[in-house]
Amino acid sequence: MNYETTIRAEAADGVSTELTGARGLRAPAIPRWLTLGGLGVFGLLLAIAAYFALAGGEPVAVDDDNSQAPSVTVVTPGKTTVAGEIEAPGTLAARRPMPVGVVGEGGQVLRVTVDAGDWVQQGQVLAVIDRSVQVQQAEAQAAQIEVARADANLAQANLDRAAQLVARGFVSKADVDRLTATRDAAVARVKVAQAQLAEQRARNERLNIYAPATGYVLARNVEPGQTVGAGSTALFTIASGGEMEMLAQLSEEQLAKLSVGTMATIIPTGSTQQFSGQVWQIAPVIDQTSRQGTARIALSFAPELRPGGFATARINSGSFSATVLPESAVLADAEGSFVYVVGSDNKAMRRAVKTGAVTANGIAITEGLNGTERVVLRAGGFLNPGETVNPQPFKK
């Protein structure tokens, strides 16, 4: 192998240098039109690359070519008189709940005559307590009256006989005075016995549990056989007159807009029924923790109004003038509620607004609009601030 390599090298050394240079200068000639065409294609590629590079940067508002602007429906809302309404949560309760307990000394319950959900009249017996011992005590007291009355009759007879003998000198004046005192004491003992009997009978009457007023029984906490006493918890709870109320929780600002006598509509949770009520008391204090106060709304009795349940109150707060927009026109994000307004240059601009009451026609805008603006009705969520649009008036 070494010999072959040596021979090839020697052969190569024998080649003339002039001949080698002559072969290197013989390059094929490039036509001029082909060179110019290549330069044109290269320039076109550079232009395309520059276009895509610019298109991938920051978004540019479409304001040069109005034919490509998106069409949006706009509305000029104007001003509308809106009936002010405050919506507040709360709980239902009896307006005047009356706990009924044991008035007397108590005892074993023999019978309960009412149940929760019943109507009762004032003075009606709610529960009967065993009084067998107390009845015997009353009879013994009645017998004591007869004893005292007999003593009084005897004392009166002795006094009468003494009065007949005093004129004859058989009885002294002192004896008459003594017999008179004895008679008076006997008569007084009769009155004491009668008073004690009346007291005993009154105590016996208080053994029964009576309704203190006409109303609706909300709770029954006693059963026959149960032993009750003066220290027992309330046996019954009665709503006086069946009157109910709602305790609406309102902010300080909302409370300032209300007055006693304001009408309200109450809707219990889980129900579609509406009940009319009237604010009859506004809390004089504000809770320092929640910064809320209570408006008490009086309601007439209805079986669907169950104390302890939740409800929503819609309270009238007067009328005011405001711009009303459909819900589709009002957007919201972390910064708050806003709408898109189209200016004279057909550019959509973001406008912060403050919403108020929700009416049948839409949402009342209390701040941010004067009613003469062109507001984007729909598709505002797809617009960017400053974007040129093609506004189309809303047709009813």
Side-chain angles (χ1 to χ4, degrees):
M1 294 178 64
N2 292 334
Y3 293 109
E4 294 178 359
T5 304
T6 302
I7 295 173
R8 289 177 182 174
E10 293 175 352
D13 292 339
V15 178
S16 173
T17 304
E18 295 179 359
L19 181 60
T20 305
R23 291 180 180 178
L25 293 176
R26 293 178 183 178
I30 300 175
R32 185 177 181 182
W33 64 269
L34 185 59
T35 303
L36 294 177
L39 292 176
V41 172
F42 180 73
L44 179 61
L45 292 176
L46 287 178
I48 294 174
Y51 172 78
F52 281 106
L54 293 176
E58 295 294 330
V60 180
V62 183
D63 53 4
D64 296 329
D65 188 3
N66 291 339
S67 63
Q68 300 297 323
S71 297
V72 296
T73 303
V74 296
V75 62
T76 303
K79 290 283 187 177
T80 306
T81 300
V82 180
E85 187 177 79
I86 297 174
E87 186 170 311
T91 57
L92 299 172
R95 183 175 178 182
R96 296 297 184 194
M98 297 186 301
V100 182
V102 178
V103 180
E105 63 185 26
Q108 186 179 34
V109 178
L110 296 180
R111 187 170 70 257
V112 180
T113 62
V114 298
D115 207 342
D118 293 343
W119 277 91
V120 295
Q121 300 297 320
Q122 184 176 4
Q124 180 178 337
V125 176
L126 306 180
V128 178
I129 297 178
D130 179 31
R131 62 179 67 192
S132 57
V133 175
Q134 289 82 356
V135 169
Q136 297 300 322
Q137 292 174 345
E139 292 180 356
Q141 191 61 46
Q144 289 296 328
I145 295 176
E146 298 301 325
V147 173
R149 186 176 288 118
D151 292 341
N153 292 337
L154 178 60
Q156 182 65 48
N158 291 336
L159 179 60
D160 292 341
R161 285 192 294 269
Q164 294 174 1
L165 296 174
V166 70
R168 300 179 184 180
F170 294 105
V171 177
S172 65
K173 183 66 173 176
D175 292 336
V176 173
D177 292 340
R178 180 176 54 80
L179 293 173
T180 301
T182 301
R183 188 276 314 271
D184 292 343
V187 173
R189 284 193 292 272
V190 172
K191 293 180 179 179
V192 170
Q194 289 175 340
Q196 290 175 344
L197 176 61
E199 178 186 2
Q200 185 63 44
R201 287 176 176 173
R203 289 179 180 275
N204 293 348
E205 287 299 320
R206 294 174 66 182
L207 288 174
N208 289 340
I209 309 300
Y210 297 94
T214 299
Y216 184 70
V217 180
L218 299 176
R220 162 183 160 172
N221 301 315
V222 63
E223 296 297 334
Q226 183 176 339
T227 301
V228 297
S232 302
T233 58
L235 306 183
F236 302 92
T237 302
I238 298 176
S240 179
E243 296 178 344
M244 301 294 172
E245 70 175 357
M246 178 185 171
L247 306 175
Q249 300 298 316
L250 302 171
S251 65
E252 296 178 73
E253 180 182 355
Q254 292 172 330
L255 284 177
K257 299 178 182 179
L258 297 184
S259 60
V260 174
T262 302
M263 300 303 297
T265 301
I266 309 301
I267 305 174
T269 300
S271 173
T272 58
Q273 288 185 285
Q274 298 183 358
F275 302 89
S276 297
Q278 189 175 30
V279 177
W280 72 276
Q281 186 184 79
I282 298 177
V285 296
I286 299 295
D287 185 89
Q288 295 183 357
T289 304
S290 64
R291 309 308 304 172
Q292 289 186 326
T294 302
R296 302 178 68 176
I297 304 171
L299 298 166
S300 300
F301 172 78
E304 295 80 9
L305 298 175
R306 297 178 175 85
F310 290 101
T312 300
R314 295 176 180 172
I315 309 172
N316 298 329
S317 60
S319 300
F320 61 95
S321 181
T323 298
V324 178
L325 290 174
E327 294 184 9
S328 60
V330 182
L331 307 175
D333 58 13
E335 299 180 6
S337 300
F338 67 94
V339 298
Y340 275 107
V341 176
V342 179
S344 58
D345 55 356
N346 290 344
K347 290 186 177 181
M349 301 302 297
R350 175 184 172 125
R351 180 80 60 85
V353 296
K354 183 178 180 180
T355 60
V358 179
T359 68
N361 298 323
I363 302 176
I365 306 300
T366 57
E367 294 181 10
L369 296 177
N370 57 27
T372 61
E373 302 90 342
R374 293 187 299 173
V375 181
V376 176
L377 190 61
R378 289 181 290 270
F382 299 96
L383 298 178
N384 295 316
E387 182 177 353
T388 301
V389 297
N390 182 18
Q392 300 295 325
F394 174 69
K395 297 180 181 181
K396 296 183 179 179

